[in-house]
């Protein structure tokens, strides 16, 4: 089983924002998609630990064709919170504080449905995921009970992500850096797979652009396959690329930051093609956004205008060499762009619980076969584009 990745893979992982070190079966640590402030200093932890394998490092592990991890018969999965993560003794290490996940956006793997219990591990900072059946958890058999999962063209299987700070958060981001170690043990207690990563906590909150599959009954919106010229969200049997967006919380104490659920309404994307059509030339400080701009309609006219509205981020396009025609833009209905709305208007129950806003985008496949990876990013400070990006997520689209 995998112990370490190649040096080249580790170097690539070191380039991922906020992740200081990642090795073994851990790819990176990111802000969880149900938390606005999960990686902010002096608040509660709300993170996703993305796993990987030697044959499918980094983002490739989220391909539904790749099977995630299981737990051997008589064994367990341990997640140890180290570094500057501090245990909150008022919160027990139970299912409410952690969730196994398959895929990103995440389709949950609750213990009662999948067959595991959550308990405290070898020390007070360790979660133990223990199969309830003597056969353990066979990776190929681990499928999310999410309503739309069975409708996915390729069904995600196995554990791929660990969501820490789920309905409750048992740990605080108390210092500067948190470290998470993941171990899979067999019935003898020997480690058969392991990995770890560290993350620097943010000094102040930033707006968050996160993946979600709340609409369409929690279908998998990532790794969709289309033909050249097809458009996700418009072509039959495809889904838009959907994001959970949180606004930037004001500074506050631990509980105030943790409770923040504010979204960002009236966001949309104007693609590079659309910007050219209206004669808008991006300034040098926005040149990294080669695929378009994320804009917030501030005058309430329902249209996006980079000269009048607020530019808050952009699209970083990545496509096969020589490809043309690929485009990411706001999802359109009857020719009208659908701007972001509060989550509860799209998915009422989770929206009231988790807050945020829903942003849906359509993507048109380019002329060349291969993987297209549009990244949608929000700036740390829209008033200072040169300060860089604060939050982003990359979808993968396969064009055949």
């Amino acid at each position: 089983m995998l112990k370490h990745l190649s040096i080249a893979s580790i170097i690539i992982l070191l380039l991922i924002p906020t992740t200081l070190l990642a090795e073994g079966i851990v790819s990176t640590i990111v802000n969880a998609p149900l938390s606005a402030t999960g990686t902010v200093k002096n608040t509660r932890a709300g993170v996703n630990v993305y796993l990987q394998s030697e044959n499918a490092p980094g983002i490739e592990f989220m391909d539904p064709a790749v099977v995630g991890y299981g737990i051997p018969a008589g064994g367990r999965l341990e997640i140890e919170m180290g570094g500057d993560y501090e245990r909150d003794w008022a919160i027990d290490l139970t299912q409410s504080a952690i969730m196994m996940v398959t895929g990103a956006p995440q389709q949950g793997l609750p213990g009662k449905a999948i067959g595991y219990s959550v308990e405290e591990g070898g020390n007070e900072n360790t979660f133990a995921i223990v199969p309830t059946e003597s056969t353990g958890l066979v990776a190929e058999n681990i499928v999310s009970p999410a309503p739309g999962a069975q409708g996915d063209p390729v069904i995600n299987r196995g554990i791929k992500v660990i969501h820490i700070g789920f309905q409750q958060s048992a740990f605080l981001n108390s210092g500067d850096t948190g470290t998470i170690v993941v171990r899979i043990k067999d019935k003898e207690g020997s480690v058969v797979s392991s990995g770890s990563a560290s993350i620097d906590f943010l000094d102040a909150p930033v707006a968050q652009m996160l993946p979600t599959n709340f609409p369409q009954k929690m279908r998998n919106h990532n790794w969709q396959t289309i033909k050249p010229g097809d458009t996700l969200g418009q072509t039959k049997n495809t889904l838009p690329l959907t994001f959970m967006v949180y606004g930037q919380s004001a500074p506050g104490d631990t509980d105030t930051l943790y409770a923040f659920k504010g979204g960002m309404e009236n966001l949309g994307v104007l693609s590079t093609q659309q910007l050219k059509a209206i004669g808008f030339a991006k300034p040098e400080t926005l040149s990294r956004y080669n695929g378009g701009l994320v804009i917030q309609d501030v005058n309430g006219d329902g249209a996006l205008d980079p000269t009048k509205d607020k530019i808050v981020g952009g699209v970083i396009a990545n496509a096969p060499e020589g490809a043309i025609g690929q485009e990411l833009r706001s999802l359109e209905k009857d020719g009208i762009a659908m701007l972001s709305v509060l989550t509860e208007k799209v998915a009422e129950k989770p929206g009231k619980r988790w807050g945020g806003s829903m942003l849906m985008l359509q993507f048109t496949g380019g002329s060349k076969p291969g993987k297209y990876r549009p990244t949608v990013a929000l700036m740390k400070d829209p008033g200072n584009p040169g300060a860089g990006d604060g939050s982003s997520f990359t979808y993968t689209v396969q064009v055949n």
Side-chain angles (χ1 to χ4, degrees), residues 335-385:
I336 299 174
M338 300 175 64
L339 305 184
S340 65
V341 298
L342 294 179
T343 303
E344 62 186 77
K345 294 182 179 180
V346 177
E348 183 178 7
K349 186 175 179 180
K352 289 182 176 180
R353 179 166 198 165
W354 305 112
S357 299
M358 292 281 103
L359 172 65
M360 299 187 191
L361 307 176
Q362 61 184 53
F363 179 81
T364 300
S367 59
K368 299 287 187 179
K371 295 170 184 172
Y372 291 73
R373 286 186 164 136
T375 297
V376 181
L378 294 176
M379 289 184 279
K380 288 181 182 178
D381 178 6
N384 180 17

